[in-house]
């Protein structure tokens, strides 16, 4: 409980310091995290990349679903949040990196991810930065891989469709505010809940 409060306060402080970079006053709800990860198959992945890990609400659930030999690379730009993540999870499958998601390729050193999970507030990020990160996500995905994106508005869909052959959308209402969840893949036939608008 105290841990939870500390995490929320750290998150709130990060928001007050960098409102457009954090983009929300509360971490994503557990329900929305589960709804989002249900759009892919974490258990089948060898490498999962998380962008904008914050206080680790996705990190925790991804690790719970990840297979024993797989890896999770979590990028978080805020040094205090990255430090918290490193202290919170002592799982050898997890690598926490304090850097911007636009530099993802440097950390992958040629490896490709089966899943990229983004909690980044794309619509409040500066447009060039947003484009660079979206391009990184496409390049980081292994063939057959899926990118999962949470947003608080549907506006990102156009930019996702420019880059991915398949973009499916659902809404997770149990979140403040309600969350738009996107599952994107290069393959037009990839299976995911339908949401074509
Ligand atoms: C809306 S919060 C989401 C945090 C967490 N994933 C969640 O769902 O509660 C966005 C997070 O992305 C981080 N962030 C923003 N821009 C980033 C960037 N360019 N690279 C990596 N992390 C970034 C922020 O510091 C913040 O922790």
């Amino acid at each position: 409980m105290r841990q939870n409060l500390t995490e929320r306060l750290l998150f709130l402080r990060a928001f007050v310091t960098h409102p457009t970079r954090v983009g929300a006053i509360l971490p994503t709800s557990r329900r929305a995290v589960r709804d989002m990860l249900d759009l892919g198959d974490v258990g089948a992945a060898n490498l999962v990349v998380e962008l904008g890990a914050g206080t680790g609400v996705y990190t925790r659930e991804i690790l719970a679903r990840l297979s024993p030999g797989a890896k999770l690379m979590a990028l978080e730009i805020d040094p205090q949040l990255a430090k918290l993540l490193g202290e919170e999870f002592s799982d050898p499958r997890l690598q926490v990196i304090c850097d911007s998601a636009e530099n993802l390729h440097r950390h992958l050193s040629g490896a490709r991810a089966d899943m990229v999970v983004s909690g980044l507030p794309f619509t409040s990020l500066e447009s060039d930065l947003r484009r660079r990160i979206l391009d990184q996500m496409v390049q980081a995905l292994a063939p057959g891989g899926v990118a999962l994106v949470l947003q608080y508005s549907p506006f990102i869909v156009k930019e996702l469709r420019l880059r991915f052959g398949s973009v499916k959308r659902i809404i997770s209402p149990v979140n403040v505010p309600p969350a738009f969840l996107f599952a994107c893949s290069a393959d037009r036939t990839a299976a995911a809940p339908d949401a074509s608008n």
Side-chain angles (χ1 to χ4, degrees):
M1 180 68 185
R2 179 178 295 170
Q3 184 77 46
N4 203 278
L5 189 63
T6 309
E7 287 177 11
R8 280 171 184 235
L9 285 174
L10 260 182
F11 193 93
L12 187 62
R13 189 163 72 179
F15 172 75
V16 170
T17 316
H18 298 285
T20 54
R21 196 170 81 176
V22 176
I25 56 165
L26 286 173
T28 306
S29 71
R30 288 190 72 191
R31 176 65 188 274
V33 167
R34 288 178 182 158
D35 286 348
M36 172 113 135
L37 296 180
D38 285 348
L39 295 175
D41 186 357
V42 177
N46 290 313
L47 175 61
V48 177
V49 166
E50 185 185 0
L51 304 178
T55 52
V57 285
Y58 284 105
T59 318
R60 184 171 292 107
E61 186 67 22
I62 293 169
L63 288 172
R65 296 181 184 206
L66 200 64
S67 69
K71 296 282 179 204
L72 169 59
M73 178 185 284
L75 271 75
E76 170 52 55
I77 200 167
D78 185 307
Q80 279 187 308
L81 293 178
K83 183 168 174 278
L84 173 87
L85 289 165
E87 289 167 357
E88 173 85 5
F89 302 100
S90 59
D91 191 313
R93 298 171 299 173
L94 172 67
Q95 181 186 13
V96 177
I97 296 169
C98 184
D99 196 359
S100 173
E102 67 193 300
N103 299 322
L104 175 60
H105 62 289
R106 293 186 192 157
H107 304 289
L108 282 174
S109 358
R112 300 275 199 93
D114 305 294
M115 183 180 286
V116 177
V117 178
S118 168
L120 296 171
F122 280 119
T123 44
S124 64
L125 295 182
E126 188 266 317
S127 57
D128 279 346
L129 174 63
R130 177 171 70 242
R131 285 188 207 110
R132 287 198 297 276
I133 296 175
L134 287 168
D135 290 342
Q136 285 287 315
M137 289 173 67
V138 175
Q139 287 161 24
L141 272 187
V146 63
L148 304 180
V149 174
L150 179 143
Q151 292 291 279
Y152 295 123
S153 77
F155 301 127
I156 194 71
V157 73
K158 232 171 122 180
E159 289 191 75
L160 294 175
R161 287 210 180 110
L162 281 174
R163 292 170 175 82
F164 294 98
S166 167
V167 177
K168 309 287 172 73
R169 189 191 80 183
I170 65 165
I171 294 174
S172 184
V174 189
N175 195 66
V176 183
F180 292 83
L181 312 179
F182 299 92
C184 314
S185 58
D187 178 7
R188 287 188 186 280
T189 60
D194 183 47
S196 48
N197 52 14

